Amino acid sequence: MHTSVTLAASWIDVGNGLGGDFKDLVFKVGIPAMCGVFVFVVGWKTKAPGPTIAACFLAAIVWGLSANMDDLQGNTSDTINEYDGGPGIIGGDQ
């Protein structure tokens, strides 16, 4: 008996279940606000340009990835489906 396990449980659908307004609030207000707080706190605590610039880059990456969550969900689903339909276990030195 072969049972399929979904590796990417689509947690975005949980946000959709709570309502589109909640999802928009988190992705369009919550995450950008937390990125701004992160950069501000790093800049305040270190008072140095290097760590503050690094914090800006990290915040931009998080913000950018969260803004493109729908594209990332599609790519992840495609990858999982590709591997689920593959040839199975490949024999080797095990």
Side-chain angles (χ1 to χ4, degrees):
M1 182 169 129
H2 177 68
T3 59
S4 177
V5 176
T6 304
L7 296 177
S10 186
W11 58 271
I12 295 174
D13 290 336
V14 173
N16 287 336
L18 293 173
D21 292 337
F22 179 75
K23 180 183 161 191
D24 286 343
L25 183 66
V26 169
F27 283 110
K28 293 183 180 176
V29 176
I31 293 175
M34 292 305 296
C35 288
V37 169
F38 173 69
V39 171
F40 179 75
V41 168
V42 169
W44 182 266
K45 291 288 187 179
T46 62
K47 294 187 176 34
T52 306
I53 292 170
C56 289
F57 284 131
L58 290 174
I61 290 169
V62 169
W63 192 347
L65 289 174
S66 70
N68 294 321
M69 191 61 69
D70 291 332
D71 295 335
L72 294 173
Q73 179 186 13
N75 290 340
T76 303
S77 298
D78 292 344
T79 303
I80 290 172
N81 290 335
E82 181 181 328
Y83 283 111
D84 282 345
I89 298 174
I90 298 173
D93 296 335
Q94 297 180 0

